[in-house]
Amino acid sequence: MGGGKPQTPSTLLPKLAARPVGQQIHSIYKERLGQFTSNGQYCSQNLQAAIYEGRASGDEYVKLQVYSPPDLARPTFEEATSHEFKDTHVGASFGPSWSTHWIKIELKVPRHLQEKEHIEFLWDADNEGLIWTEDGEPLQGLTGGGKRRIEWILPDSFRDGKSHRFYIEMACNNIMGNGIGDLIQPPPPNRYFQLKLADIVAVNLEARALFVDFWIIGDAAREFPEDSWEEHQALQICNEIMDTFIAGHGTQDSILQGREIARKYIGNVDSSKVYESEKEPHVYAIGHCHIDTTWLWPWAETKRKIARSWSNQCDLMDRYPEHRFTCSQAQQYKWLETLYPKLYDRVKSKVKGGTFQPIGGSWVEHDTNLPGGESLVRQFLYGQRYFESRFGERCKTFWLPDTFGYSSQLPQLCRLAGMGRFFTQKLSWNNINTFPHTTFSWVSLDGSQVLCHMAPDETYTAEAHFGDVSRSLSQHKSMDQDNTGLLVFGYGDGGGGPTSEMLEKLRRCRGLSDKTGRLPRVKMGDSVDDYFARLEKKAENGTEFVTWYGELYLELHRGTYTSQANNKWNNRKCEIMLHDIEYLATVATLKDSKYQYPKKAIDAIWEDVLLCQFHDTLPGSSIEMVYRDCDELYAKVFKAGDKLLEGAMSALELNTTANHDSELKAVNTLPWQRAAIAKVPGSEEYALVSGGPGMASVKTFSGISKSPASIGKLEEGVFQLSNEHFGVTVENGAITSLVDLSEDRELIPKGQKANQLVIFDDKPLYWQGWDVEVYHLRSRQELLPSKSYIVEKGPHMVSLCTETKISEDSWVKTTISLAASVEGQPSYIEMSSEVEWRETMKFLKVEFPVDIRNTEASYETQFGINRRPTHYNTSWDMAKFEVCCHRWADLSEAGYGVSILNDSKYGFATAGNLMRLSLLRAPKAPDAHADMGRHHIRYAILPHSGPLDHRTIRTARNFNHPFELFHGSSTPSGSVSLLNSIQLTGSPALVLDTIKRGEDDEDVSRGELPSRKGRSIVIRIYESLGGKARGCIRVDGEVLDVKKIEKVNLLEDDGAEVKFDGGKCMIGLRAFEVATFRLQL
């Protein structure tokens, strides 16, 4: 102790405190960040003020003239620019809703801006626009208002001080249509848009870059946990940038210093090299632009949205090497090819370069609940053929991010169309249960599977925020199997796509992950297929992805099974018509060498029908003008279809004549023999029609049927209808007793009423045209009839009509009919209703309580059956209080069951023993007049002894496909034989669903893909009941020379040859399998 040398200080900390230093108040310093980039009261002092270095406007530099086409026309560039233009100016208003205005712009860059680093033209009219060059080339889209892209980078050639001309095609709608305030309310017809901005500006690129730097680091300060060092450092970096900017008085030096400070947290993010580090990414970002083919705008506007959005992406690809953009819907590519050939060529070059990536494999992003099975096949067939013919490749991933539930047969059809991958995200919208998986194997009814990924960020329109990247891992539900997710970003629904700002934000997110950490590492430059390939590799190496069997039921938008009833009727009738056209035209080509299979016309009809199956069109969730367009298109389709049917019938010498003394005829285009009582055209007589497939005999009744139907009035308001099979008691319009006479079984529980019309209050939480909520069931009211009276007294048909008043403006006339029994055919009770519907937010249904008990009911779906609970044991069960079915729903117990058949209805529910068919809705948004007017509705009760079997399958199809009688001359024997030359025998569970010509037969091919030598017939067969089934394809060798038979996929690629000998080909299908065979002639 003491006397030693002085010791070296143990710390560099000064001995004496220089001044007090306080603890930062974290919340205050965090809230301060908003001052630096906001447009509020400090915008003249913050970074916003430094972004633009100069500005020019007014007639001297930006001279504006306008041509306004009349009658809401959308003229081409050539048509528009041939007209006289008139002077206009900033501040002018343009309208009304949906109108188009062509703006001619003479632009001259002033001297003081010519030498600036970066010059842009800013245009904002709160609506959408497309920039065209003077010689008619579309350059890029413009979007004003909220989701903005208002800038166009001026070419260097504009720096010469001379005047340069270009055009803006202005659309008087914003990116989400023309609704005001509430998005889904019907758009007003007289909305006007004011031109707010038409300026030339010089941009300080370093200031703009610092803005994005600060944005992302600020998000880290706001969104990282407060107990993390990364959050604290982000806050310190942001405040240091602000302090530096203030100390430097906002000069360029202070901006450059701010960027250097930012690099301490995010690194160098000024190029695509930021993605070149070897560190493992967890989030794979892909640009996307979801454009609803219709929704809050019509097809005509969609066509322009495509050009606006996709031209933007081509521009971004030129500036951002890492940008990859994926887009689906072959129809949209075809529109671009037809209407914007120069832009299409630009897109095609990007596809070839791998930056613009077609995806999806379908014609449109279609609804999957409502279209028939063959329609789903054709969505893939036409989609894949288009992509292959234009771009040389088929799609490997089915892309359907936004539809209202997913059919249980989609995985099988995807695999048969060459796609083993599926992307969506809509189940994140469930409003009852949370779907439990992100990446999983989705298994079809037949056992086929696809690898499915649902974006963890739960959107297909992410804006590439810090939070989007973060949620792409934090919300991932399948990290036991894989810890990566797809981030799908870009303005969507109304189009737009990614912006340069989004791409800049992602660069900074990646830089932050590499430099600082904590944020999931994002990668740009890969494709969706690259992402799925990595998942498939994991599966190959032993990763077992969890499975989900059956339908992916969306717990929302259940009203879309019923909304816009006329559109749904048109769709089903078109599907039936196309089935008949292809069958008859195929046979006609075999009979008459001069008859040319009308593939071009058939393709045109299919493409129109597939277009109308878009997921906001067929479900009924679009604005009124969409359905006016649909009505016009369907009218054109039916006219064209009738012409094709007439041509095929003529080639088969099945000509219709006006001579009513000639023989009555009918063609059975279904693949089984059947018989029915049908009314003779132009008379009150009935005939027995029987036979087929092919020609059916027609025999008018000369007396009373062997098993006549009868009707009688028991007392006032009470009637009895009966035939050999059933006794039906109707009291006040409802069926109070239905007795199966052969089984001596009463089917209506005592005191209950079938065919009871009920009405419900229908006010969902928000989405009127889309939703019906479970609480609507609490508002049930029975509709009471005013009178009932006998219409037909038999003996071939008996009918009872009941009139029911719904309200002062709405009524129903329901006719209950019972035909005389036909030997060998199931009998059913048919209801046909004429409805005048003028309600507001009401839901009309019809109920059938039956004396049957089962915890599951069965519903027809495409090529199969969905079985769903009749109870509410769990929230998953209760969520299915309204479901989709096709031609029938069935409730059966051991030994007996009841099927409810329908014609073009889809909504159904079975709760306990109560079966309920949905008939009409009356939403007022987005279409204020949805379903208003006259409707004709058919449905039937089909009781059956024994289990659900082929009788329901066939009878429901017969019900939707009634015989059409016509007068004609004698039918040549050759036509009769050919119509019946291909038959399917064996298990009645097998259904021969489609007969058509081969897509690429040399006498059929349109030259889009290589033709195939010779001629072929393609048939599609499916197993309909859910068990292995064996059958035999029989070919009449005397009229049809078949050389071999192959089992092929939906795209009709070469497949495995199957044994064919002596006109017979034995086949076996697994449960609910869909099988396609090519018969090579």
Side-chain angles (χ1 to χ4, degrees), residues 756-760 780-783 843-845 847:
Q756 174 64 57
L757 291 169
V758 289
I759 197 165
F760 299 84
R780 175 185 178 276
Q781 289 183 306
E782 292 185 3
L783 295 176
F843 202 150
L844 181 67
K845 306 187 185 188
E847 295 181 341

Side-chain angles (χ1 to χ4, degrees), residues 266-463:
I266 61 175
N268 188 336
V269 294
D270 289 343
S271 76
S272 60
K273 291 181 179 179
V274 70
Y275 295 108
E276 294 178 2
S277 74
E278 297 298 322
K279 297 179 180 178
E280 182 184 1
H282 293 93
V283 178
Y284 293 85
I286 188 77
H288 180 54
C289 174
H290 180 73
I291 302 177
D292 283 316
T293 301
T294 62
W295 183 29
L296 305 177
W297 49 86
W299 289 316
E301 199 54 47
T302 303
K303 296 170 184 177
R304 303 201 295 189
K305 285 176 176 287
I306 296 163
R308 293 191 285 258
S309 301
W310 293 7
S311 60
N312 285 356
Q313 301 316 306
C314 290
D315 168 62
L316 288 174
M317 290 168 195
D318 292 337
R319 295 192 279 139
Y320 292 87
E322 72 270 29
H323 184 34
R324 301 293 181 269
F325 176 75
T326 196
C327 217
S328 63
Q329 307 195 73
Q331 173 69 86
Q332 294 190 4
Y333 287 85
K334 184 172 182 179
W335 278 336
L336 191 76
E337 180 184 13
T338 304
L339 300 173
Y340 301 89
K342 292 181 180 179
L343 178 54
Y344 173 78
D345 288 342
R346 192 176 170 196
V347 166
K348 195 168 183 179
S349 71
K350 300 297 184 186
V351 173
K352 187 175 181 180
T355 52
F356 198 116
Q357 300 167 348
I359 200 168
S362 58
W363 191 249
V364 294
E365 288 189 10
H366 53 283
D367 179 82
T368 78
N369 289 316
L370 306 169
E374 191 61 26
S375 286
L376 295 185
V377 169
R378 300 307 172 96
Q379 286 285 353
F380 293 141
L381 178 68
Y382 281 87
Q384 290 284 51
R385 287 177 64 83
Y386 182 88
F387 289 123
E388 184 179 9
S389 65
R390 281 9 180 236
F391 306 119
E393 290 186 6
R394 296 171 178 172
C395 300
K396 299 176 182 176
T397 301
F398 181 35
W399 180 272
L400 195 60
D402 181 24
T403 198
F404 310 149
Y406 303 86
S407 165
S408 52
Q409 285 287 50
L410 275 179
Q412 178 180 189
L413 299 181
C414 284
R415 295 306 293 254
L416 291 171
M419 294 180 287
R421 306 155 175 176
F422 177 48
F423 174 83
T424 187
Q425 65 81 47
K426 196 67 175 186
L427 294 189
S428 66
W429 284 43
N430 279 5
N431 72 346
I432 295 179
N433 298 286
T434 299
F435 191 76
H437 310 305
T438 293
T439 304
F440 60 98
S441 179
W442 181 25
V443 185
S444 195
L445 292 178
D446 77 313
S448 301
Q449 65 177 341
V450 292
L451 190 57
C452 180
H453 180 72
M454 297 187 181
D457 193 32
E458 299 185 348
T459 182
Y460 50 89
T461 60
E463 296 182 22

Side-chain angles (χ1 to χ4, degrees), residues 769-891:
W770 296 256
D771 285 351
V772 58
E773 290 294 355
V774 65
Y775 53 75
H776 86 286
L777 296 170
R778 299 164 65 97
S779 63
R780 175 185 178 276
Q781 289 183 306
E782 292 185 3
L783 295 176
L784 303 178
S786 56
K787 60 180 178 179
S788 298
Y789 48 90
I790 295 172
V791 177
E792 292 182 279
K793 297 183 178 181
H796 315 302
M797 182 74 67
V798 294
S799 300
L800 176 71
C801 181
T802 298
E803 297 183 7
T804 303
K805 188 175 182 180
I806 299 173
S807 67
E808 290 300 316
D809 301 311
S810 303
W811 50 262
V812 185
K813 288 182 182 178
T814 300
T815 301
I816 303 175
S817 299
L818 185 64
S821 299
V822 177
E823 186 176 354
Q825 297 294 311
S827 188
Y828 54 78
I829 302 92
E830 178 177 345
M831 277 64 67
S832 58
S833 296
E834 181 181 10
V835 185
E836 180 68 16
W837 183 245
R838 302 285 177 185
E839 296 303 293
T840 296
M841 301 178 194
K842 298 295 182 182
F843 202 150
L844 181 67
K845 306 187 185 188
V846 60
E847 295 181 341
F848 305 92
V850 293
D851 191 14
I852 304 286
R853 293 187 65 82
N854 199 324
T855 57
E856 286 187 330
S858 300
Y859 304 86
E860 186 187 38
T861 188
Q862 303 96 339
F863 301 127
I865 298 171
N866 285 327
R867 293 183 172 89
R868 301 178 176 116
T870 61
H871 54 77
Y872 296 157
N873 282 2
T874 71
S875 59
W876 291 89
D877 300 325
M878 188 188 72
K880 296 180 180 179
F881 62 84
E882 180 86 1
V883 298
C884 183
C885 74
H886 278 235
R887 288 169 290 228
W888 57 265
D890 182 87
L891 184 62

Side-chain angles (χ1 to χ4, degrees), residues 82 159 166 195 209 294 475 650 667 669 883 951 1058-1059 1065 1078:
S82 68
R159 295 173 179 266
F166 61 94
L195 176 58
T294 62
Q475 294 182 170
S650 178
V667 179
T669 58
V883 298
R951 292 169 297 172
V1058 293
K1059 186 178 180 182
C1065 175
R1078 178 167 53 235

Side-chain angles (χ1 to χ4, degrees), residues 941-999:
I941 309 172
L942 174 66
H944 56 85
S945 60
L948 169 67
D949 61 19
H950 69 280
R951 292 169 297 172
T952 291
I953 306 290
R954 295 183 176 187
T955 305
R957 192 133 179 187
N958 297 347
F959 184 74
N960 277 266
H961 212 138
F963 282 116
E964 293 187 14
L965 279 57
F966 60 93
H967 291 274
S969 54
S970 60
T971 305
S973 59
S975 294
V976 174
S977 299
L978 281 169
L979 285 165
N980 197 25
S981 58
I982 301 172
Q983 291 193 38
L984 179 63
T985 60
S987 170
L990 296 177
V991 176
L992 174 54
D993 192 61
T994 298
I995 298 177
K996 63 185 283 291
R997 286 297 305 275
E999 288 293 314

